[in-house]
Amino acid sequence: MTDRERGSNDYRYGANVVSAAGTSAPARTRFRLWAPTAKMVEVELEGAGRSQMSADSDGWFEIELPCGGGAAYRYVAMTQFEGEVNVPDPASRAQRGDIDGPSLVVDHDAYVWQNPQWRGRPWHETVLYELHAGLLGGFDGVRARLPALAALGITAVELMPVADFPSDRNWGYDGVLPFAPDASYGTPDQLKALIDAAHGLGMMVFLDVVYNHFGPDGNYLNSYALPFFRDDLHTPWGKAIDFRRREVRDFFTENALYWLREYRFDGLRLDAVHAISEEDWLTELARRVRETMAAEQPGRHVHLVLENDHNRAALLRDGAESHGHAQDRFDAQWNDDWHHVMHVLLTGEQAGYYEDYAQDCAGKLARSLMQGFIYQGEASVSRDGRRRGEPSAHLPQTAFVNFLQNHDQTGNRAFGERLTVLANPHALRVAQALLLLSPHIPLLFMGEEYGSRQPFLYFTSHRDHSLASAVRDGRRKEFARFPEFADAEARTRIPDPNQEATYRASMPEAGTDVEEPDGFAWREWTAALLKLRRAHIAPRLRGSSALGASAIGPAAVCARWRLGDGAALGIVVNLGETDVPAALDAVLAPAGADVLFDSGGVLQALERGVLPAWAMLAVLEPALESVLESAP
């Protein structure tokens, strides 16, 4: 049994087991579907034929049938425009086979949790590790890797979307059945076993969810629920989802609660919410999730994270838990600004959106280290002068998830190159030290911990050849604006997303880099940095604040933060290839400070007035009270 009694769930959508099989009665399941443009709907239960569902005036169809977990079914709808259509449940809990196969009833109370008392970890302890379940062998393959990740110092794994998508190869952002784990990754119980094992190791598990669109293949909602979408507003993926409707809002809010309740995920990352026009739904979602989980499982930590190109600081928690907006705000946002300026510093690339970060790189990095967002209302050159962002200096450092690589920033390159093949290795190691020792929430992308050189490419497995060709050609056309792909022949070298070879080339261990000496050295470097973070930084993050930061060279910055216990963290870093003048007492306040990290002879060089190339020093200054107490 879950923390809630069976039958007490309030899901409006999908097939929900309302009573288990007893000695004298079979299990019973309630089926509900919102089909406002259908005249009639039947449930076709495998082995039992069709049963007509009762309808109400709001477009809901419902029936309760004698069946339980494992039952296979479809909906048969008589629609206004297409006649009879045979479709899976849009809130299918699992599919037998692919997206157009039968949906399966899942009895979530049948799984016996091995770590039922788990209540998560506080947000400030988070070290994220983003991964693609399919590339790592499905849910069982990921579970097998958890002990090594826990030993490394990872406290949370984040799964790229697992919602059912067409065929068996996809990033996950083409999902069309948001409640169903893709069968190519494993069963619902295998996903639960992954999460259960992580909790046993003290690790959280996050899920990336997509609420801004459905994939182009296998979405049948237009057949029987046209009002699910808007005719007057379009996104890069087609008609916008109509979040003005209560039924639509509840569909996705229930989805968020479903993953958190039934699978016990510790947090969700909401993909590209800037493509959701009704922003008030986001605050409604956050409030409902927090209130529901607090009522059902008091004391459980549940974390909500955004990807939002608009840099909307107003959606993020500011640390003042006492005010009335704490419940309807999000814990953090993926900070593309930090990534972009670091990428320019490490690679020198200035095309596309990197153009916005090409000038005063060190100054922009200093701003990000202190205030999170770089763009806080300024005009963006790459966006034709449109203003972007809101002031964010009032937010805690933990409101920002920083990263050097992730699925987007690697996979959206033509050849999916990682920084290990783009950047100077000395600069990259220092950049990773800055990522893991700054007081923001760090994220590593799978393979990054051992310096993988395998590409991460964009891949799909669309069943429709015309769609597959359109995706391939569209991707190649997208890169035509880059000088190196101006020639049509050059664009043909960009890997075809629908080819299986593209998928296999993206497997982190398709090469041997994990077994090479440099791979072991990278892993030891990562582990050492995470050990320092766990011991000296994470415990002090609550209540921390920025003290100041400034550029001290073309690629060099110094920064200081007041930590929650009164101590101060100071970092000075040079990502450039030339030394810069820097006096120790001018960039840090080292009196009584302990050296937390030295990339190699940096302290001595600073005492001589030089900050070396590719160098970083981090120091911890004790709280003022501690200094006074130790004074003679």
Side-chain angles (χ1 to χ4, degrees):
M1 298 292 287
T2 65
D3 293 71
R4 297 167 291 126
E5 291 299 318
R6 182 189 296 277
S8 68
N9 70 63
D10 55 358
Y11 300 123
R12 301 181 73 190
Y13 284 87
N16 295 289
V17 178
V18 295
S19 64
T23 55
S24 59
R28 296 192 68 80
T29 297
R30 185 189 70 229
F31 298 84
R32 298 192 86 227
L33 175 71
W34 187 58
T37 46
K39 302 174 183 178
M40 181 185 73
V41 180
E42 296 175 311
V43 173
E44 185 175 22
L45 193 62
E46 198 168 87
R50 296 184 180 185
S51 300
Q52 185 171 333
M53 304 174 76
S54 61
D56 67 18
S57 59
D58 295 324
W60 284 98
F61 293 81
E62 181 175 346
I63 193 172
E64 190 174 301
L65 294 174
C67 63
Y73 68 99
R74 300 174 186 268
Y75 291 127
V76 182
M78 182 60 66
T79 66
Q80 297 176 13
F81 306 107
E82 298 183 28
E84 184 177 288
V85 295
N86 193 309
V87 296
D89 189 341
S92 170
R93 288 7 184 182
Q95 290 291 105
R96 192 175 69 199
D98 210 348
I99 53 176
D100 50 7
S103 300
L104 300 175
V105 176
V106 174
D107 183 357
H108 284 290
D109 292 325
Y111 181 85
V112 180
W113 291 92
Q114 301 303 301
N115 297 283
Q117 302 307 313
W118 172 260
R119 287 297 183 269
R121 300 180 66 147
W123 175 243
H124 67 271
E125 295 180 359
T126 304
V127 176
L128 287 161
Y129 184 89
E130 188 192 20
L131 59 86
H132 184 279
L135 289 174
L136 298 184
F139 299 140
D140 286 347
V142 175
R143 179 159 58 94
R145 295 168 183 263
L146 293 177
L149 292 174
L152 185 71
I154 300 298
T155 65
V157 294
E158 180 174 312
L159 309 183
M160 290 175 64
V162 303
D164 214 346
F165 50 78
S167 197
D168 58 359
R169 302 188 305 275
N170 200 282
W171 272 17
Y173 300 92
D174 290 325
V176 292
L177 299 175
F179 291 77
D182 195 88
S184 67
Y185 295 167
T187 66
D189 278 0
Q190 287 174 308
L191 176 54
K192 290 182 180 180
L194 185 168
I195 296 167
D196 209 0
H199 292 169
L201 293 166
M203 300 174 72
M204 299 181 285
V205 186
F206 286 66
L207 179 64
D208 196 343
V209 292
V210 182
Y211 295 155
N212 52 57
H213 76 287
F214 290 89
D217 182 3
N219 172 26
Y220 298 100
L221 283 164
N222 275 316
S223 299
Y224 56 84
L226 278 174
F228 213 97
F229 303 94
R230 299 178 62 160
D231 289 324
D232 61 336
L233 185 64
H234 287 72
T235 74
W237 307 283
K239 289 183 178 180
I241 295 171
D242 194 351
F243 280 92
R244 298 171 301 181
R245 298 195 65 101
R246 171 50 52 192
E247 294 86 353
V248 174
R249 289 179 173 231
D250 286 348
F251 181 85
F252 291 107
T253 300
E254 283 189 10
N255 182 261
L257 286 168
Y258 176 79
W259 292 117
L260 296 168
R261 286 167 155 175
E262 313 305 340
Y263 287 90
R264 304 194 180 192
F265 278 99
D266 299 276
L268 303 173
R269 181 258 192 191
L270 277 65
D271 177 68
V273 300
H274 50 266
I276 296 174
S277 59
E278 283 68 42
E279 187 180 277
D280 67 302
W281 174 73
L282 294 172
T283 55
E284 176 186 306
L285 168 71
R287 178 173 291 279
R288 185 169 169 192
V289 164
R290 296 191 192 285
E291 290 178 347
T292 301
M293 301 311 299
E296 293 180 356
Q297 297 181 17
R300 180 178 166 189
H301 295 283
V302 172
H303 309 300
L304 300 174
V305 181
L306 297 175
E307 179 195 23
N308 190 354
D309 190 58
H310 292 163
N311 281 5
R312 284 277 285 128
L315 290 174
L316 304 177
R317 286 182 161 185
D318 63 9
E321 298 292 332
S322 60
H323 66 58
H325 297 300
Q327 290 290 84
D328 58 9
R329 298 293 186 266
F330 291 77
D331 294 279
Q333 177 182 311
W334 275 29
N335 192 1
D336 281 340
D337 278 356
W338 195 87
H339 168 272
H340 295 347
V341 72
M342 289 292 289
H343 190 90
V344 172
L345 283 165
L346 289 169
T347 68
E349 294 181 353
Q350 299 182 11
Y353 46 67
Y354 293 129
E355 181 182 10
D356 289 338
Y357 305 85
Q359 304 300 317
D360 187 25
C361 290
K364 286 182 169 64
L365 175 58
R367 189 181 205 197
S368 185
L369 287 171
M370 287 297 100
Q371 301 181 19
F373 296 145
I374 294 172
Y375 279 85
Q376 301 179 30
E378 292 80 8
S380 164
V381 175
S382 69
R383 293 169 172 82
D384 299 321
R386 295 190 302 274
R387 296 188 178 276
R388 170 174 172 255
E390 296 176 342
S392 57
H394 63 288
L395 296 173
Q397 277 66 51
T398 52
F400 305 95
V401 175
N402 286 353
F403 42 83
L404 294 170
Q405 301 178 87
N406 63 29
H407 73 273
D408 267 333
Q409 304 304 336
T410 305
N412 283 335
R413 300 179 63 84
F415 298 108
E417 306 100 324
R418 293 176 181 257
L419 284 174
T420 43
V421 301
L422 297 172
N424 179 284
H426 304 293
L428 185 55
R429 292 205 178 202
V430 169
Q432 192 183 76
L434 180 63
L435 171 71
L436 297 181
L437 297 183
S438 296
H440 311 86
I441 300 299
L443 178 145
L444 297 173
F445 185 54
M446 60 179 186
E448 190 173 354
E449 75 277 17
Y450 57 82
S452 176
R453 299 176 66 85
Q454 288 299 124
F456 179 75
L457 298 160
Y458 178 66
F459 50 80
T460 60
S461 54
H462 291 305
R463 304 166 300 173
D464 184 302
H465 292 300
S466 61
L467 177 59
S469 296
V471 170
R472 178 199 62 216
D473 296 342
R475 182 166 174 80
R476 291 174 176 174
K477 182 179 179 181
E478 179 184 343
F479 286 100
R481 57 194 174 92
F482 293 89
E484 61 268 37
F485 298 111
D487 179 74
E489 193 280 329
R491 294 195 293 276
T492 64
R493 298 197 301 270
I494 298 174
D496 183 346
N498 226 54
Q499 292 295 316
E500 185 175 357
T502 303
Y503 174 77
R504 296 200 172 278
S506 302
M507 292 182 175
E509 293 173 13
T512 59
D513 44 322
V514 68
E515 300 172 356
E516 293 176 353
D518 193 49
F520 286 111
W522 261 111
R523 192 187 298 273
E524 290 177 0
W525 178 263
T526 305
L529 291 168
L530 288 176
K531 184 177 180 180
L532 290 173
R533 182 180 185 87
R534 181 172 63 251
H536 300 288
I537 297 173
R540 297 179 161 106
L541 286 180
R542 276 184 171 166
S544 60
S545 59
L547 292 175
S550 60
I552 57 174
V557 171
C558 65
R560 294 178 69 240
W561 300 267
R562 178 67 64 195
L563 302 179
D565 65 350
L569 171 66
I571 288 178
V572 58
V573 60
N574 184 6
L575 297 166
E577 61 183 5
T578 58
D579 299 353
V580 297
L584 181 61
D585 59 357
V587 298
L588 297 171
D594 294 321
V595 173
L596 179 64
F597 170 82
D598 188 324
S599 61
V602 182
L603 181 63
Q604 292 80 5
L606 283 171
E607 290 172 342
R608 299 193 304 271
V610 174
L611 176 60
W614 306 314
M616 179 175 136
L617 178 73
V619 300
L620 270 177
E621 307 162 27
L624 179 60
E625 293 81 0
S626 300
V627 174
L628 294 175
E629 289 173 2
S630 63

